[in-house]
Amino acid sequence: MTDTLAHRLEAVQARIQAACEAAGRSPTAISLLAVSKTFPADVVFEAYEAGQRAFGENYVQEGVEKIAALSRLLSPDAERPDWHFIGPLQSNKTRDVAEHFDWVHSIDRLKIAQRLAEQRPAHRPPLQVCLQVNVSGEATKSGVSPEDLPALAEAVASLAHTSGRLVLRGLMAIPEPAAQLEDQRRPFATLRALLAQLRANKTAAPLDCLSMGMSADLEAAVLESEAAGTCWVRVGSAIFGARPRP
Ligand SMILES: *Cc1c(COP(=O)(O)O)cnc(C)c1O
């Protein structure tokens, strides 16, 4: 098989399929988010033409420019892809995200959610959001701690309800990289348990999504996904190739 983007995308889909078979999961429970950060719009267009419809971006400015560039490459009646913001989000950058993205996976404090709710334009559907949880406990990584998660989830669910501009869909994590499957699974199992706990607390939100797994550990994420609901696996380099070092 030649090494084209379409073939790499197919290979990732085949990995997901195989992991679903191993886990006894329906492949419809797994959604592939193609993480296109650092790659230009024409490369995203190639993935679009190969059938990919959900893209993840980490940097606000780059993402906003790419969304506009891709929309110029698509014919006016073409189906629009969904854009997911997955990077660290500062409060002075929320407006661009609220105006241009469909999802945000990386909310870790109430202030960000409040600004997104205020700034989400009325003509757009509500922004779909996940809370980022620090499941590895490293001081350097962003994400709310598991201890502070229930209060944040309650506050964001309530804001979503009163504003009508957000929907709290679930939890996201970026664990420390690990080589062994068992070590990769542990933080994902923790995230799944935290989501189940929020539902048990009767947090008033759909809470039907996990966002976990990347190129190196998507099989572990599929194994720890839930049978009911969606698991977004966020795959960059396995689809687009190695990224240039920043
Ligand atoms: C870059 C990135 C990914 C994709 O990582 P790969 O290892 O290239 O698959 C997934 N999630 C987040 C939050 C990222 O920043």
Side-chain angles (χ1 to χ4, degrees), residues 20-125:
C20 283
E21 276 162 28
R25 271 294 156 279
S26 160
T28 58
I30 309 298
S31 294
L32 175 58
L33 182 64
V35 178
S36 46
K37 65 180 177 212
T38 78
F39 290 93
D42 58 324
V43 174
V44 176
F45 185 61
E46 212 182 319
Y48 178 93
E49 290 199 300
Q52 181 63 30
R53 290 292 181 273
F55 296 97
E57 289 287 332
N58 283 59
Y59 311 104
V60 177
Q61 197 53 38
E62 180 193 337
V64 168
E65 284 167 18
K66 210 176 295 180
I67 291 169
L70 191 78
S71 115
R72 288 191 294 271
L73 292 170
L74 295 175
S75 64
D77 55 349
E79 187 195 339
R80 302 283 120 180
D82 280 338
W83 292 93
H84 296 232
F85 189 80
I86 62 174
L89 185 50
Q90 274 134 29
S91 54
N92 62 348
K93 300 276 178 64
T94 50
R95 183 174 296 279
D96 274 335
V97 171
E99 289 181 352
H100 298 283
F101 283 82
D102 303 286
W103 283 72
V104 179
H105 292 221
S106 45
I107 292 179
D108 62 1
R109 54 197 197 277
L110 182 60
K111 185 180 176 200
I112 297 293
Q114 284 166 334
R115 292 179 65 90
L116 290 169
E118 273 165 30
Q119 294 166 344
R120 181 66 169 172
H123 68 271
R124 304 268 333 240

Side-chain angles (χ1 to χ4, degrees), residues 33-37 57-59 86-88 105-106 132 172-174 211 213-217 233-239 241-243:
L33 182 64
V35 178
S36 46
K37 65 180 177 212
E57 289 287 332
N58 283 59
Y59 311 104
I86 62 174
H105 292 221
S106 45
Q132 182 174 350
M172 179 266 218
I174 314 173
S211 169
M214 316 202 294
S215 293
D217 56 10
V233 293
R234 309 179 308 265
V235 179
S237 47
I239 296 172
R243 285 181 293 274

